[in-house]
Amino acid sequence: MNTSSKQDERIARMTFASVYPHYLAKIEKKGRSETELQQVIEWLTGFDAPKLQQLIEDKVTFESFFREATIHKNAQLITGVICGYRVENITTPLNQQVRYLDKLVDELAKGRKMEKILRGSL
């Protein structure tokens, strides 16, 4: 999937802090915990809970968030459709990383086992 530069800029400028409450509400509505959400985010990005809290308080953009992240070596195993796009076909790295996170949150909300969400890396 090729994205427009306008769409890429919009995603890059969005703050992680503005999206995190939506992730949290989505998973809690389905009976999952904030601890599980943080575990999923840590797996993808390498950010532990204190670092995640700092990034939220600093209101970092997604561009800064993923620039600082250490993306898990198995992230390319995240496949499927999110927001109408196949994550494995997204060509813009930042857009793909954001969609990886969206996909993991979606899997968590759908009740998928943590072992599967973390691609067997427990």
Side-chain angles (χ1 to χ4, degrees):
M1 172 195 119
N2 292 319
T3 56
S4 70
S5 60
K6 191 174 185 177
Q7 181 184 18
D8 291 341
E9 285 176 35
R10 185 181 61 81
I11 289 172
R13 285 193 317 260
M14 284 175 58
T15 64
F16 179 73
S18 69
V19 177
Y20 186 80
H22 298 287
Y23 289 155
L24 187 57
K26 181 176 186 170
I27 61 109
E28 285 181 337
K29 189 170 27 171
K30 300 293 184 164
R32 302 303 286 259
S33 70
E34 184 170 15
T35 301
E36 289 172 306
L37 175 60
Q38 289 174 346
Q39 183 180 2
V40 165
I41 295 170
E42 183 173 358
W43 177 85
L44 179 64
T45 64
F47 298 141
D48 61 12
K51 177 65 175 177
L52 199 55
Q53 187 58 42
Q54 177 192 350
L55 293 167
I56 290 168
E57 289 171 8
D58 292 347
K59 293 183 173 37
V60 298
T61 62
F62 268 118
E63 183 176 37
S64 296
F65 182 85
F66 281 106
R67 189 179 328 116
E68 277 192 54
T70 304
I71 301 300
H72 195 280
K73 63 182 168 55
N74 289 339
Q76 78 279 359
L77 299 176
I78 303 168
T79 60
V81 177
I82 192 76
C83 301
Y85 299 107
R86 281 217 153 267
V87 294
E88 62 270 28
N89 295 339
I90 297 172
T91 56
T92 308
L94 176 61
N95 198 331
Q96 186 176 51
Q97 291 165 347
V98 170
R99 297 304 178 199
Y100 280 162
L101 182 55
D102 290 344
K103 183 70 176 164
L104 294 176
V105 171
D106 195 48
E107 290 176 358
L108 186 62
K110 287 182 176 176
R112 195 165 194 206
K113 291 182 181 185
M114 193 61 80
E115 174 183 301
K116 298 237 186 233
I117 296 170
L118 304 183
R119 304 326 192 240
S121 301
L122 269 179

